[in-house]
Amino acid sequence: MTSAPPSKPSLPTLDYAFTISATIGQPISAGRHAQGERLHIPILSGRVEGPRLQGTILPGGSDWPLIRPDGTSEISANYSMRADDGTLIFVQNQGLRVSSPEVLARLRQGQPVDPSEYYFFATPRFDAPDGPHHWLRDTVFLSSIAPSSEGITIAVYAVR
């Protein structure tokens, strides 16, 4: 009896879905502990624009990054968006920002920093109800993040 050769996993590709431009508040330190410093960053508002989704970022969300002793930020953001058709969508975004201490200092001072000088990626998960946006909960996403003059810009890509 012969067996079929093992199948190979597919090579993923990225398809641009939309960009989130979020306005954020000033970071507030929640204190230091053995793993680093926990910050609270309020998510105030924003806009979602792209070929797959348009909408607004609702106030009331937060990012609670952990700034590790080496300066790496473990991103942990939770917020809500409303699609232009009125659908509410919950977002959980986990990621990492890694940079040299010099680049981190420039980022914290609000200076422009080329994205090639740091690593800032996350894996957003979306909880959307049945209907036209259910594809968000049935897809894996990768996002590239960059600070902007107003807050943060997140380019979201569907993994195919």
Side-chain angles (χ1 to χ4, degrees):
M1 176 176 199
T2 62
S3 62
S7 61
K8 290 184 178 180
S10 63
L11 180 63
T13 60
L14 300 177
D15 291 332
Y16 171 69
F18 50 88
T19 296
I20 299 169
S21 300
T23 303
I24 59 175
Q26 290 296 315
I28 302 165
S29 178
R32 295 185 184 278
H33 53 77
Q35 296 171 319
E37 180 184 14
R38 180 71 66 185
L39 299 178
H40 170 254
I41 303 172
I43 299 171
L44 306 175
S45 64
R47 187 76 194 142
V48 180
E49 297 286 345
R52 304 280 314 266
L53 185 66
Q54 297 82 43
T56 57
I57 301 300
L58 301 177
S62 296
D63 184 8
W64 285 86
L66 174 67
I67 313 303
R68 299 189 312 215
D70 67 358
T72 296
S73 294
E74 296 179 11
I75 307 305
S76 181
N78 294 301
Y79 53 97
S80 298
M81 65 172 122
R82 183 185 310 273
D84 281 353
D85 68 2
T87 303
L88 286 175
I89 301 163
F90 176 62
V91 184
Q92 295 178 298
N93 206 6
Q94 305 292 314
L96 290 174
R97 195 237 350 107
V98 182
S99 65
S100 69
E102 297 78 25
V103 168
L104 177 58
R106 289 172 32 220
L107 287 168
R108 286 191 172 166
Q109 293 170 1
Q111 296 178 8
V113 178
D114 189 287
S116 67
E117 295 186 66
Y118 56 88
Y119 181 95
F120 202 173
F121 294 95
T123 53
R125 292 181 55 108
F126 301 93
D127 184 359
D130 290 341
H133 306 294
H134 77 278
W135 65 276
L136 288 164
R137 67 172 191 254
D138 296 334
T139 304
V140 171
F141 294 91
L142 177 67
S143 63
S144 176
I145 306 171
S148 70
S149 60
E150 293 293 313
I152 219 80
T153 301
I154 305 166
V156 178
Y157 300 86
V159 178
R160 302 275 177 227

